[in-house]
Amino acid sequence: MPLVASDDLKILLTAQQIESRVAELAERIGRDFPASPHAPPLWLVGALKGSVFFLADLARAIDRDVSLDFVQASSYGDSTETSSNVRLLRDLDHDIAGADVILVEDIVDSGHTAQALLRLLGSRKPHTLKLATLLDKMSRRAVEVPIDYRGFEIPDRFVVGYGMDHAERYRNLRDIRILPAG
Ligand code: IMP
Ligand code: MG
């Protein structure tokens, strides 16, 4: 792995761009799931670990009660290649039956991870199930996944920052940057 200082990585999306887009998504979610005495609870289910910053910002921008839980699927390991072999590493703590549930992903690439997690959550009989992803690498899609809330469509480049890593590095960058190939 090359030792690249984060300053050498080209910025794809600035912290400010991310912040204003997250606010827009939160507003749409608030409109789609308005609080009311009879509304089901709204759960945001973050896919660990890449979605944690997005989830934290999104949850705080939504103007109603939300509850949080997490799932974790096996990732690429230290490689940047995708795999259709999705393994569940961590399941929910809570019963989401009857709830409005939004799966929160950092990035949908091949779509295998989101598809597997949507199937898992769907099997728990939520009232509704939606998918929010900050980034969509649409050109890489191998399986179709319905994205309800999309932050940005991005080109086929490996990105890091705002939660996303390469071999566990760069997650705490405030903006999203492109990792040079090779
Ligand atoms: P998929 O199953 O191929 O859609 O991959 C989804 C997961 O792979 C994402 O949730 C990320 O954790 C990881 N991933 C895909 N592309 C990138 C990237 O460009 N940077 C960092 N992680 C990525
Ligand atoms: Mg990852």
Side-chain angles (χ1 to χ4, degrees):
M1 181 190 42
L3 268 182
V4 217
S6 58
D7 288 350
D8 295 338
L9 304 180
K10 189 170 167 281
I11 293 182
L12 180 66
L13 295 163
T14 65
Q16 215 161 32
Q17 286 176 297
I18 297 166
E19 186 186 339
S20 56
R21 187 67 182 136
V22 170
E24 289 173 2
L25 295 181
E27 208 206 304
R28 276 183 45 207
I29 291 171
R31 257 188 278 126
D32 292 350
F33 298 97
S36 90
H38 304 294
L42 179 61
W43 282 81
L44 301 185
V45 175
L48 293 171
K49 303 178 216 169
S51 73
V52 293
F53 295 87
F54 177 41
L55 178 86
D57 287 341
L58 185 67
R60 285 177 293 178
I62 294 172
D63 195 20
R64 61 158 283 181
D65 276 0
V66 299
S67 298
L68 307 181
D69 206 342
F70 295 93
V71 289
Q72 185 168 17
S74 63
S75 66
Y76 299 178
D78 290 353
S79 138
T80 56
E81 281 312 299
T82 188
S83 154
S84 59
N85 240 333
V86 179
R87 214 156 40 93
L88 188 69
L89 303 179
R90 185 202 190 276
D91 203 338
L92 295 170
D93 287 333
H94 292 273
D95 183 10
I96 56 166
D100 289 323
V101 175
I102 303 176
L103 173 63
V104 179
E105 273 276 16
D106 51 353
I107 177 164
V108 177
D109 185 14
S110 71
H112 289 298
T113 306
Q115 184 186 62
L117 291 175
L118 284 171
R119 278 189 188 144
L120 174 83
L121 299 180
S123 75
R124 307 290 164 75
K125 304 277 179 269
H127 175 246
T128 61
L129 177 58
K130 306 281 185 194
L131 172 61
T133 186
L134 181 65
L135 303 182
D136 179 7
K137 245 191 242 181
M138 205 187 284
S139 64
R140 297 249 309 167
R141 199 74 86 256
V143 292
E144 214 179 304
V145 281
I147 297 176
D148 302 286
Y149 306 100
R150 175 192 348 249
F152 303 91
E153 188 186 335
I154 64 161
D156 181 11
R157 305 296 301 278
F158 199 84
V159 294
V160 294
Y162 196 66
M164 285 164 285
D165 74 307
H166 177 252
E168 296 303 328
R169 295 183 65 201
Y170 308 116
R171 288 196 197 274
N172 64 325
L173 298 180
R174 298 166 64 90
D175 28 46
I176 293 175
R177 294 174 185 249
I178 296 175
L179 198 72

